[in-house]
Amino acid sequence: MIPLLAPLFHGELAVHGETLDCAPQWPAGAIPVSRLTGDDPLLIDTIRRYGAHLGVNVNNTGSDLRAAASAWSLDYLWALLPAVTAAASVLQHRFPMHADDVALSVDDAGTPVRFHITGEGHSMPGTPSAARYGPLLDGHLAPLFKTINQQTRLAQKILWGNAARYLEVIFDEALALTGNAGHIAADRETLLQHPTRPDGHPNPLFGRQRRSTHTGNGVATPITLHRQCCLLYRLPGQGYCGACPLAPEHRHQAVR
């Protein structure tokens, strides 16, 4: 684990800090993220391998890989975002996150398991969210999501919705552990709650969320639905998750 992250990721949380590694060189076999964001067929080949592991029929060149690509992105984001977000918001530190700065290790099934950087970046206390998150959002996720869309037809709004879903969980955990620190709350609001960025451009992480109810043991509990359906219900053996906006029990609920 990067020493900077050790105070934040200990005990049960340690596994989330260990998915980001810093060393003078990327390990053998690590994939430069810049290869995944270009025209290289490695991305689609990796998603096909991952989809086959999930039971998707990938032998037909016309296979619908959208659900597999969404599932792959969820694993990718869950390996990437906890450490990077904790550093950016809790520590006000920016790791080098541009696609050119990062490499990815995958397992035999193509599942993203660890990211690698060769420098620890910079402390940036008091800077705007855009300064600390720009390389991650604009230089890494935006080109990656664009390429996934081009190669699998998965809508970019689903990919950004997947990112927002995990960012929300990470921010909520960070706020709980820091006694609702104001600078973390400000990052959460800026990144997730505004339809436009401070520069006036559309915010791809923003999405209106609907409220619904979950009934269990005769008790109705209000829940907030995900911004976008992740399509995992289309994978073999899977169904709708409890907060899916497309689940039949939630489809007719009013917009919040």
Side-chain angles (χ1 to χ4, degrees), residues 129-221:
S129 303
R132 287 172 282 111
Y133 281 91
L136 170 68
L137 300 178
D138 300 326
H140 186 143
L141 295 185
L144 177 66
F145 291 170
K146 181 179 179 180
T147 304
I148 292 175
N149 167 256
Q150 291 171 339
Q151 296 193 9
T152 70
R153 298 183 296 110
L154 178 65
Q156 291 188 59
K157 68 178 182 180
I158 292 177
L159 291 161
W160 285 110
N162 289 348
R165 177 185 308 190
Y166 282 157
L167 284 171
E168 196 159 44
V169 171
I170 296 164
F171 276 127
D172 287 350
E173 181 72 12
L175 287 168
L177 293 174
T178 60
N180 295 312
H183 63 283
I184 299 174
D187 280 350
R188 185 186 190 279
E189 181 176 358
T190 298
L191 294 177
L192 300 178
Q193 302 301 324
H194 292 289
T196 58
R197 292 178 168 181
D199 62 6
H201 288 92
N203 177 11
L205 289 167
F206 174 79
R208 296 192 181 278
Q209 293 176 275
R210 293 182 291 131
R211 298 280 291 176
S212 185
T213 56
H214 172 74
T215 302
N217 298 322
V219 178
T221 304

Coordinates of all heavy atoms in Angstrom, one line a residue, residues 129-221:
S129 N -12.3 21.3 -6.4 CA -12.4 19.9 -6.8 C -11.9 19.6 -8.2 O -11.3 18.6 -8.4 CB -13.9 19.5 -6.7 OG -14.5 19.8 -5.4
A130 N -12.2 20.5 -9.1 CA -11.8 20.3 -10.5 C -10.3 20.1 -10.6 O -9.8 19.3 -11.4 CB -12.2 21.4 -11.4
A131 N -9.5 20.8 -9.8 CA -8.0 20.7 -9.9 C -7.5 19.4 -9.4 O -6.6 18.8 -9.9 CB -7.4 21.8 -9.0
R132 N -8.2 18.8 -8.4 CA -7.8 17.5 -7.8 C -8.4 16.3 -8.6 O -7.8 15.3 -8.6 CB -8.2 17.5 -6.4 CG -7.3 18.3 -5.5 CD -7.8 18.4 -4.0 NE -8.9 19.3 -3.9 CZ -10.1 19.0 -3.6 NH1 -10.4 17.7 -3.4 NH2 -11.1 19.9 -3.5
Y133 N -9.5 16.5 -9.2 CA -10.2 15.4 -9.9 C -10.1 15.5 -11.4 O -10.5 14.5 -12.1 CB -11.7 15.4 -9.5 CG -11.9 14.7 -8.1 CD1 -11.9 15.5 -7.0 CD2 -12.1 13.4 -8.0 CE1 -12.2 14.9 -5.7 CE2 -12.3 12.8 -6.8 CZ -12.4 13.6 -5.6 OH -12.6 13.0 -4.4
G134 N -9.6 16.6 -12.0 CA -9.5 16.7 -13.4 C -8.8 15.6 -14.1 O -9.4 15.1 -15.1
P135 N -7.6 15.3 -13.7 CA -6.9 14.2 -14.5 C -7.7 12.9 -14.4 O -7.7 12.1 -15.4 CB -5.6 14.1 -13.7 CG -5.3 15.4 -13.1 CD -6.7 15.9 -12.8
L136 N -8.3 12.5 -13.3 CA -9.1 11.3 -13.2 C -10.3 11.3 -14.1 O -10.5 10.4 -14.9 CB -9.5 11.1 -11.7 CG -10.5 10.0 -11.5 CD1 -9.9 8.6 -11.8 CD2 -11.1 10.0 -10.1
L137 N -11.1 12.4 -14.0 CA -12.3 12.5 -14.8 C -12.1 12.7 -16.2 O -12.7 12.0 -17.1 CB -13.2 13.5 -14.1 CG -13.6 13.3 -12.7 CD1 -14.5 14.5 -12.2 CD2 -14.3 12.0 -12.5
D138 N -11.3 13.7 -16.6 CA -11.2 14.2 -18.0 C -10.0 13.5 -18.7 O -10.1 13.3 -19.9 CB -10.9 15.7 -18.0 CG -12.1 16.4 -17.4 OD1 -13.2 16.0 -17.5 OD2 -11.8 17.5 -16.8
G139 N -9.0 13.1 -18.0 CA -7.8 12.5 -18.7 C -7.8 11.0 -18.6 O -7.0 10.3 -19.2
H140 N -8.7 10.4 -17.8 CA -8.7 8.9 -17.6 C -10.1 8.3 -17.9 O -10.3 7.6 -18.9 CB -8.3 8.6 -16.2 CG -8.1 7.2 -15.9 ND1 -7.1 6.7 -15.0 CD2 -8.8 6.1 -16.2 CE1 -7.2 5.4 -14.9 NE2 -8.2 5.0 -15.6
L141 N -11.1 8.7 -17.1 CA -12.4 8.1 -17.3 C -13.1 8.5 -18.6 O -13.7 7.7 -19.2 CB -13.3 8.4 -16.1 CG -12.8 7.8 -14.7 CD1 -13.8 8.0 -13.6 CD2 -12.5 6.3 -14.9
A142 N -13.0 9.8 -18.9 CA -13.7 10.2 -20.1 C -13.2 9.5 -21.4 O -14.1 9.0 -22.1 CB -13.6 11.8 -20.3
P143 N -11.9 9.4 -21.6 CA -11.5 8.7 -22.8 C -11.8 7.2 -22.7 O -12.1 6.6 -23.7 CB -10.0 9.0 -22.9 CG -9.6 9.5 -21.6 CD -10.8 10.1 -21.0
L144 N -11.7 6.6 -21.5 CA -11.9 5.2 -21.4 C -13.4 4.9 -21.7 O -13.7 4.0 -22.4 CB -11.6 4.8 -20.0 CG -11.9 3.3 -19.7 CD1 -11.1 2.4 -20.5 CD2 -11.8 3.0 -18.2
F145 N -14.3 5.7 -21.1 CA -15.7 5.5 -21.4 C -16.1 5.7 -22.8 O -17.0 5.0 -23.4 CB -16.6 6.4 -20.5 CG -16.5 6.1 -19.0 CD1 -17.0 7.0 -18.1 CD2 -15.9 5.0 -18.5 CE1 -16.9 6.7 -16.7 CE2 -15.8 4.7 -17.2 CZ -16.3 5.6 -16.3
K146 N -15.5 6.7 -23.5 CA -15.7 6.9 -24.9 C -15.3 5.7 -25.7 O -16.1 5.3 -26.6 CB -14.9 8.1 -25.4 CG -15.2 8.5 -26.8 CD -14.4 9.7 -27.2 CE -14.6 10.0 -28.7 NZ -13.8 11.2 -29.1
T147 N -14.2 5.1 -25.4 CA -13.7 3.9 -26.1 C -14.6 2.7 -25.9 O -14.9 1.9 -26.8 CB -12.3 3.6 -25.8 OG1 -11.5 4.7 -26.0 CG2 -11.7 2.4 -26.6
I148 N -15.0 2.5 -24.6 CA -15.9 1.4 -24.3 C -17.2 1.6 -25.1 O -17.8 0.6 -25.7 CB -16.2 1.4 -22.8 CG1 -15.0 1.0 -22.0 CG2 -17.4 0.4 -22.5 CD1 -15.2 1.0 -20.5
N149 N -17.7 2.8 -25.2 CA -18.9 3.1 -25.9 C -18.7 2.7 -27.4 O -19.6 2.1 -28.1 CB -19.3 4.5 -25.8 CG -20.4 5.0 -26.8 OD1 -20.0 5.7 -27.8 ND2 -21.6 4.6 -26.6
Q150 N -17.6 3.1 -28.0 CA -17.3 2.9 -29.4 C -17.2 1.4 -29.7 O -17.6 0.9 -30.8 CB -16.1 3.6 -29.8 CG -16.2 5.1 -29.8 CD -14.9 5.8 -30.0 OE1 -13.8 5.3 -29.8 NE2 -14.9 7.1 -30.5
Q151 N -16.6 0.6 -28.8 CA -16.3 -0.8 -29.0 C -17.4 -1.7 -28.6 O -17.5 -2.9 -29.1 CB -15.0 -1.2 -28.4 CG -13.8 -0.4 -28.9 CD -12.5 -1.0 -28.5 OE1 -12.4 -2.1 -27.9 NE2 -11.4 -0.3 -28.8
T152 N -18.3 -1.3 -27.7 CA -19.4 -2.2 -27.2 C -20.8 -1.7 -27.3 O -21.7 -2.4 -27.1 CB -19.1 -2.6 -25.7 OG1 -19.4 -1.4 -24.9 CG2 -17.7 -3.1 -25.5
R153 N -20.9 -0.4 -27.7 CA -22.2 0.3 -27.8 C -22.8 0.6 -26.4 O -24.0 1.0 -26.3 CB -23.2 -0.4 -28.7 CG -22.7 -0.6 -30.1 CD -23.7 -1.3 -31.0 NE -24.0 -2.6 -30.6 CZ -25.1 -3.1 -30.0 NH1 -26.1 -2.2 -29.8 NH2 -25.3 -4.3 -29.6
L154 N -22.1 0.4 -25.3 CA -22.6 0.7 -24.0 C -22.7 2.2 -23.9 O -21.7 2.9 -24.0 CB -21.8 0.1 -22.9 CG -22.2 0.4 -21.5 CD1 -23.6 -0.2 -21.2 CD2 -21.1 -0.1 -20.5
A155 N -23.9 2.7 -23.5 CA -24.0 4.2 -23.4 C -23.1 4.8 -22.3 O -23.0 4.2 -21.2 CB -25.5 4.5 -23.1
Q156 N -22.5 5.9 -22.7 CA -21.6 6.5 -21.7 C -22.3 7.0 -20.4 O -21.7 7.0 -19.4 CB -20.9 7.7 -22.4 CG -19.9 7.3 -23.4 CD -19.1 8.5 -24.0 OE1 -18.4 9.1 -23.2 NE2 -19.2 8.8 -25.2
K157 N -23.6 7.3 -20.5 CA -24.3 7.7 -19.3 C -24.4 6.6 -18.3 O -24.5 6.8 -17.1 CB -25.7 8.2 -19.7 CG -26.7 7.2 -20.2 CD -28.1 7.8 -20.5 CE -29.1 6.8 -21.0 NZ -30.4 7.4 -21.3
I158 N -24.4 5.3 -18.8 CA -24.4 4.2 -17.9 C -23.1 4.1 -17.2 O -23.0 3.9 -16.0 CB -24.8 2.9 -18.6 CG1 -26.2 2.9 -19.1 CG2 -24.5 1.7 -17.7 CD1 -26.6 1.7 -19.9
L159 N -22.0 4.3 -17.9 CA -20.7 4.3 -17.3 C -20.5 5.4 -16.3 O -19.9 5.1 -15.2 CB -19.6 4.4 -18.5 CG -19.6 3.1 -19.4 CD1 -18.9 3.5 -20.7 CD2 -18.9 2.0 -18.7
W160 N -20.9 6.6 -16.6 CA -20.8 7.7 -15.7 C -21.7 7.4 -14.5 O -21.4 7.8 -13.3 CB -21.1 9.0 -16.3 CG -20.0 9.5 -17.2 CD1 -20.1 9.6 -18.6 CD2 -18.8 10.0 -16.8 NE1 -18.9 10.1 -19.0 CE2 -18.0 10.4 -18.0 CE3 -18.1 10.2 -15.5 CZ2 -16.8 10.9 -17.9 CZ3 -16.8 10.7 -15.5 CH2 -16.2 11.0 -16.7
G161 N -22.9 6.8 -14.7 CA -23.7 6.4 -13.6 C -23.1 5.4 -12.7 O -23.2 5.5 -11.5
N162 N -22.3 4.5 -13.3 CA -21.6 3.5 -12.5 C -20.5 4.2 -11.6 O -20.4 3.9 -10.4 CB -20.9 2.5 -13.4 CG -21.9 1.5 -14.0 OD1 -23.0 1.5 -13.7 ND2 -21.4 0.8 -15.0
A163 N -19.9 5.2 -12.2 CA -18.9 5.9 -11.4 C -19.5 6.7 -10.3 O -19.0 6.7 -9.2 CB -18.1 6.9 -12.4
A164 N -20.6 7.4 -10.6 CA -21.3 8.2 -9.6 C -21.8 7.3 -8.5 O -21.8 7.7 -7.3 CB -22.5 8.9 -10.2
R165 N -22.3 6.1 -8.8 CA -22.8 5.2 -7.8 C -21.7 4.9 -6.7 O -21.9 4.9 -5.5 CB -23.2 3.9 -8.5 CG -23.7 2.8 -7.5 CD -24.0 1.5 -8.2 NE -24.9 1.7 -9.4 CZ -25.5 0.7 -10.1 NH1 -25.3 -0.5 -9.7 NH2 -26.3 1.0 -11.1
Y166 N -20.5 4.6 -7.2 CA -19.4 4.2 -6.3 C -18.9 5.5 -5.6 O -18.5 5.4 -4.4 CB -18.3 3.5 -7.1 CG -18.6 2.1 -7.3 CD1 -18.0 1.4 -8.4 CD2 -19.5 1.4 -6.6 CE1 -18.2 0.1 -8.6 CE2 -19.8 0.0 -6.8 CZ -19.1 -0.6 -7.8 OH -19.4 -1.9 -8.1
L167 N -18.8 6.6 -6.3 CA -18.3 7.8 -5.6 C -19.2 8.2 -4.5 O -18.8 8.6 -3.4 CB -18.3 9.0 -6.6 CG -17.1 9.0 -7.6 CD1 -17.2 10.0 -8.7 CD2 -15.7 9.2 -6.8
E168 N -20.5 8.0 -4.7 CA -21.5 8.3 -3.6 C -21.2 7.4 -2.4 O -21.2 7.9 -1.2 CB -22.9 8.1 -4.1 CG -23.9 8.7 -3.2 CD -25.2 8.9 -4.0 OE1 -25.6 8.0 -4.7 OE2 -25.8 10.0 -3.9
V169 N -21.0 6.2 -2.6 CA -20.7 5.2 -1.5 C -19.4 5.7 -0.8 O -19.3 5.7 0.5 CB -20.6 3.8 -2.0 CG1 -20.0 2.9 -0.9 CG2 -21.9 3.3 -2.5
I170 N -18.4 6.0 -1.6 CA -17.1 6.3 -1.0 C -17.1 7.7 -0.2 O -16.6 7.8 0.9 CB -16.0 6.4 -2.1 CG1 -15.8 5.1 -2.8 CG2 -14.7 7.0 -1.5 CD1 -15.1 5.1 -4.1
F171 N -17.8 8.6 -0.8 CA -18.0 9.9 -0.1 C -18.8 9.7 1.2 O -18.4 10.3 2.3 CB -18.7 10.9 -1.0 CG -17.8 11.7 -1.9 CD1 -18.1 11.7 -3.3 CD2 -16.6 12.3 -1.4 CE1 -17.2 12.4 -4.1 CE2 -15.8 13.0 -2.3 CZ -16.1 13.0 -3.7
D172 N -19.8 8.9 1.2 CA -20.6 8.7 2.4 C -19.8 8.1 3.5 O -19.9 8.4 4.7 CB -21.8 7.9 2.1 CG -22.9 8.6 1.3 OD1 -22.8 9.9 1.2 OD2 -23.9 8.0 0.8
E173 N -18.9 7.1 3.1 CA -18.1 6.5 4.1 C -17.0 7.4 4.6 O -16.7 7.5 5.8 CB -17.4 5.3 3.4 CG -16.4 4.5 4.3 CD -17.2 3.7 5.4 OE1 -18.4 3.5 5.2 OE2 -16.5 3.2 6.3
A174 N -16.5 8.3 3.7 CA -15.5 9.2 4.2 C -16.1 10.3 5.1 O -15.5 10.7 6.1 CB -14.9 9.9 3.0
L175 N -17.3 10.7 4.8 CA -18.0 11.7 5.7 C -18.2 11.0 7.1 O -18.1 11.7 8.1 CB -19.3 12.1 5.1 CG -19.1 13.1 3.9 CD1 -20.4 13.3 3.1 CD2 -18.6 14.4 4.4
A176 N -18.7 9.8 7.1 CA -18.9 9.1 8.4 C -17.7 9.0 9.2 O -17.7 9.1 10.4 CB -19.6 7.7 8.1
L177 N -16.6 8.7 8.5 CA -15.3 8.5 9.3 C -14.6 9.8 9.7 O -13.8 9.7 10.6 CB -14.3 7.6 8.4 CG -14.8 6.2 8.1 CD1 -13.8 5.5 7.2 CD2 -14.8 5.4 9.4
T178 N -15.0 10.9 9.1 CA -14.4 12.2 9.4 C -15.3 13.1 10.2 O -15.0 14.3 10.3 CB -13.8 12.8 8.2 OG1 -14.9 13.1 7.3 CG2 -12.8 12.0 7.5
G179 N -16.4 12.6 10.6 CA -17.4 13.5 11.3 C -18.0 14.6 10.4 O -18.1 15.8 10.7
N180 N -18.3 14.2 9.1 CA -18.9 15.1 8.1 C -18.0 16.3 7.8 O -18.4 17.5 7.9 CB -20.2 15.6 8.6 CG -21.2 14.4 8.6 OD1 -21.3 13.7 7.7 ND2 -22.0 14.3 9.7
A181 N -16.7 16.0 7.5 CA -15.8 17.1 7.2 C -16.3 18.0 6.1 O -16.7 17.5 5.0 CB -14.4 16.5 6.8
G182 N -16.2 19.3 6.2 CA -16.8 20.2 5.3 C -16.2 20.1 3.9 O -16.9 20.2 2.9
H183 N -14.8 19.9 3.8 CA -14.2 19.9 2.5 C -14.6 18.6 1.7 O -14.7 18.7 0.5 CB -12.7 20.0 2.6 CG -12.0 18.9 3.3 ND1 -12.0 18.8 4.7 CD2 -11.3 17.8 2.9 CE1 -11.4 17.7 5.1 NE2 -10.9 17.1 4.0
I184 N -14.9 17.6 2.4 CA -15.3 16.3 1.7 C -16.8 16.5 1.3 O -17.1 16.1 0.1 CB -15.2 15.1 2.7 CG1 -13.7 14.9 3.1 CG2 -15.7 13.9 2.0 CD1 -13.6 13.8 4.1
A185 N -17.6 17.1 2.1 CA -19.0 17.4 1.7 C -19.0 18.3 0.5 O -19.9 18.1 -0.4 CB -19.8 18.0 2.9
A186 N -18.1 19.3 0.4 CA -18.1 20.2 -0.7 C -17.7 19.4 -2.0 O -18.3 19.7 -3.0 CB -17.1 21.3 -0.4
D187 N -16.8 18.5 -1.9 CA -16.4 17.8 -3.1 C -17.6 16.9 -3.5 O -17.8 16.8 -4.8 CB -15.2 16.9 -2.8 CG -13.9 17.6 -2.8 OD1 -13.8 18.8 -3.3 OD2 -12.9 17.0 -2.4
R188 N -18.2 16.3 -2.6 CA -19.4 15.4 -2.9 C -20.4 16.2 -3.7 O -21.0 15.8 -4.7 CB -19.9 14.8 -1.7 CG -21.1 13.8 -1.9 CD -21.6 13.3 -0.6 NE -22.5 12.2 -0.7 CZ -23.8 12.3 -1.1 NH1 -24.3 13.5 -1.4 NH2 -24.6 11.2 -1.2
E189 N -20.8 17.4 -3.1 CA -21.8 18.2 -3.8 C -21.4 18.7 -5.1 O -22.2 18.6 -6.1 CB -22.1 19.4 -2.9 CG -23.2 20.3 -3.4 CD -23.6 21.4 -2.5 OE1 -23.0 21.5 -1.4 OE2 -24.4 22.2 -2.9
T190 N -20.1 19.1 -5.3 CA -19.7 19.6 -6.6 C -19.7 18.5 -7.6 O -20.1 18.8 -8.8 CB -18.2 20.2 -6.4 OG1 -18.3 21.3 -5.5 CG2 -17.7 20.7 -7.8
L191 N -19.2 17.3 -7.3 CA -19.0 16.3 -8.3 C -20.3 15.6 -8.6 O -20.5 15.1 -9.7 CB -18.0 15.2 -7.8 CG -16.6 15.7 -7.6 CD1 -15.7 14.6 -7.1 CD2 -16.0 16.2 -9.0
L192 N -21.3 15.5 -7.6 CA -22.4 14.6 -7.8 C -23.8 15.3 -7.8 O -24.7 14.8 -8.4 CB -22.5 13.6 -6.7 CG -21.3 12.6 -6.6 CD1 -21.5 11.7 -5.4 CD2 -21.1 11.8 -7.9
Q193 N -23.9 16.5 -7.3 CA -25.2 17.2 -7.1 C -25.5 18.3 -8.0 O -26.6 18.8 -8.0 CB -25.3 17.6 -5.6 CG -25.1 16.5 -4.6 CD -26.1 15.4 -4.8 OE1 -27.3 15.7 -5.1 NE2 -25.7 14.2 -4.5
H194 N -24.5 18.7 -8.9 CA -24.8 19.8 -9.8 C -24.8 19.4 -11.2 O -24.0 18.6 -11.7 CB -23.7 20.9 -9.6 CG -23.7 21.6 -8.3 ND1 -24.7 22.5 -7.9 CD2 -22.8 21.5 -7.2 CE1 -24.4 22.9 -6.7 NE2 -23.3 22.3 -6.3
P195 N -25.8 19.8 -12.0 CA -25.9 19.4 -13.4 C -24.8 20.0 -14.3 O -24.5 19.4 -15.3 CB -27.3 19.9 -13.8 CG -27.6 21.0 -12.9 CD -27.0 20.7 -11.6
T196 N -24.2 21.0 -13.8 CA -23.1 21.6 -14.6 C -21.8 21.7 -13.7 O -21.9 21.8 -12.5 CB -23.4 23.0 -15.1 OG1 -23.7 23.9 -14.1 CG2 -24.5 22.9 -16.1
R197 N -20.7 21.7 -14.3 CA -19.4 21.9 -13.6 C -19.2 23.4 -13.4 O -19.9 24.2 -14.0 CB -18.3 21.4 -14.4 CG -18.3 19.9 -14.6 CD -17.1 19.4 -15.4 NE -16.9 18.0 -15.4 CZ -16.0 17.3 -16.0 NH1 -15.1 18.0 -16.8 NH2 -15.8 16.0 -15.9
P198 N -18.3 23.8 -12.5 CA -18.0 25.2 -12.2 C -17.7 26.0 -13.5 O -17.9 27.2 -13.6 CB -16.9 25.2 -11.3 CG -17.0 23.9 -10.5 CD -17.5 22.9 -11.5
D199 N -17.1 25.3 -14.5 CA -16.8 26.0 -15.8 C -18.0 26.1 -16.7 O -17.8 26.6 -17.8 CB -15.6 25.3 -16.5 CG -15.9 23.9 -16.9 OD1 -17.1 23.4 -16.7 OD2 -15.0 23.2 -17.4
G200 N -19.1 25.6 -16.3 CA -20.3 25.7 -17.1 C -20.6 24.5 -18.0 O -21.7 24.4 -18.6
H201 N -19.7 23.6 -18.1 CA -19.9 22.4 -19.0 C -20.8 21.4 -18.2 O -20.8 21.4 -17.0 CB -18.5 21.7 -19.3 CG -17.7 22.5 -20.3 ND1 -16.8 23.5 -19.9 CD2 -17.7 22.5 -21.6 CE1 -16.2 24.0 -21.0 NE2 -16.8 23.4 -22.0
P202 N -21.5 20.6 -19.0 CA -22.3 19.5 -18.4 C -21.5 18.6 -17.5 O -20.4 18.3 -17.8 CB -22.9 18.8 -19.6 CG -22.9 19.7 -20.7 CD -21.6 20.5 -20.5
N203 N -22.1 18.2 -16.4 CA -21.5 17.3 -15.4 C -21.9 15.9 -15.7 O -23.1 15.6 -15.4 CB -21.8 17.7 -14.0 CG -21.2 16.8 -13.0 OD1 -20.4 16.0 -13.3 ND2 -21.7 16.9 -11.7
P204 N -21.1 15.0 -16.3 CA -21.6 13.7 -16.6 C -21.9 12.8 -15.4 O -22.6 11.8 -15.5 CB -20.4 13.1 -17.4 CG -19.2 13.8 -16.9 CD -19.7 15.2 -16.6
L205 N -21.4 13.2 -14.2 CA -21.7 12.4 -13.0 C -23.0 12.7 -12.4 O -23.5 12.0 -11.6 CB -20.6 12.7 -11.9 CG -19.2 12.1 -12.2 CD1 -18.2 12.7 -11.3 CD2 -19.2 10.6 -12.1
F206 N -23.6 13.8 -12.8 CA -24.9 14.2 -12.3 C -26.0 13.4 -13.0 O -26.0 13.2 -14.2 CB -25.2 15.7 -12.5 CG -26.6 16.1 -12.1 CD1 -26.9 16.3 -10.8 CD2 -27.6 16.3 -13.0 CE1 -28.1 16.7 -10.4 CE2 -28.8 16.7 -12.7 CZ -29.1 16.9 -11.3
G207 N -27.0 13.0 -12.2 CA -28.1 12.3 -12.7 C -29.2 12.4 -11.7 O -29.0 12.2 -10.5
R208 N -30.4 12.7 -12.1 CA -31.6 12.8 -11.2 C -31.9 11.4 -10.6 O -31.9 10.4 -11.4 CB -32.8 13.3 -11.9 CG -32.6 14.8 -12.3 CD -33.9 15.4 -12.8 NE -33.7 16.8 -13.2 CZ -33.6 17.9 -12.4 NH1 -33.7 17.7 -11.1 NH2 -33.3 19.1 -12.9
Q209 N -32.1 11.3 -9.4 CA -32.4 10.1 -8.7 C -33.8 10.1 -8.2 O -34.3 11.1 -7.7 CB -31.5 9.8 -7.5 CG -30.0 9.6 -7.9 CD -29.1 9.5 -6.8 OE1 -28.6 10.5 -6.2 NE2 -28.8 8.3 -6.3
R210 N -34.5 8.9 -8.4 CA -35.9 8.8 -7.9 C -35.9 8.1 -6.6 O -35.0 7.3 -6.2 CB -36.7 8.0 -8.9 CG -36.9 8.8 -10.2 CD -37.7 8.0 -11.2 NE -37.0 6.8 -11.7 CZ -37.6 5.6 -11.7 NH1 -38.8 5.4 -11.2 NH2 -36.9 4.6 -12.2
R211 N -37.0 8.4 -5.8 CA -37.2 7.7 -4.6 C -38.3 6.6 -4.8 O -39.2 6.8 -5.5 CB -37.7 8.7 -3.5 CG -36.7 9.8 -3.2 CD -35.7 9.4 -2.2 NE -36.2 9.2 -0.9 CZ -35.5 8.7 0.1 NH1 -34.3 8.4 0.0 NH2 -36.1 8.5 1.3
S212 N -38.1 5.5 -4.1 CA -39.0 4.5 -4.1 C -39.1 3.9 -2.7 O -38.6 4.4 -1.7 CB -38.6 3.4 -5.1 OG -39.6 2.4 -5.3
T213 N -39.8 2.8 -2.6 CA -39.9 2.1 -1.3 C -39.5 0.6 -1.5 O -39.8 0.0 -2.5 CB -41.3 2.2 -0.7 OG1 -42.2 1.7 -1.6 CG2 -41.6 3.7 -0.3
H214 N -38.9 0.0 -0.5 CA -38.7 -1.4 -0.4 C -39.5 -2.0 0.7 O -39.4 -1.5 1.9 CB -37.2 -1.7 -0.2 CG -36.9 -3.2 0.1 ND1 -37.0 -4.1 -0.9 CD2 -36.6 -3.8 1.2 CE1 -36.7 -5.3 -0.4 NE2 -36.5 -5.1 0.9
T215 N -40.3 -3.0 0.4 CA -41.1 -3.6 1.5 C -40.6 -4.9 1.9 O -40.4 -5.8 1.0 CB -42.6 -3.7 1.0 OG1 -43.1 -2.4 0.6 CG2 -43.5 -4.3 2.0
G216 N -40.3 -5.1 3.1 CA -39.8 -6.4 3.7 C -40.4 -6.6 5.0 O -40.5 -5.7 5.9
N217 N -41.0 -7.8 5.3 CA -41.6 -8.1 6.5 C -42.8 -7.2 6.9 O -43.0 -6.8 8.0 CB -40.6 -8.1 7.7 CG -39.5 -9.2 7.5 OD1 -39.8 -10.3 7.0 ND2 -38.3 -8.8 7.9
G218 N -43.4 -6.7 5.8 CA -44.6 -5.8 6.0 C -44.2 -4.4 6.3 O -45.1 -3.6 6.5
V219 N -42.9 -4.1 6.2 CA -42.5 -2.7 6.5 C -41.9 -2.0 5.3 O -41.1 -2.6 4.6 CB -41.4 -2.7 7.6 CG1 -40.9 -1.2 7.9 CG2 -41.9 -3.3 8.9
A220 N -42.5 -0.9 4.9 CA -42.0 -0.1 3.7 C -40.9 0.8 4.1 O -41.1 1.7 5.0 CB -43.2 0.6 3.1
T221 N -39.8 0.7 3.5 CA -38.6 1.5 3.8 C -38.3 2.3 2.5 O -38.1 1.8 1.4 CB -37.4 0.6 4.1 OG1 -37.7 -0.2 5.2 CG2 -36.2 1.5 4.5

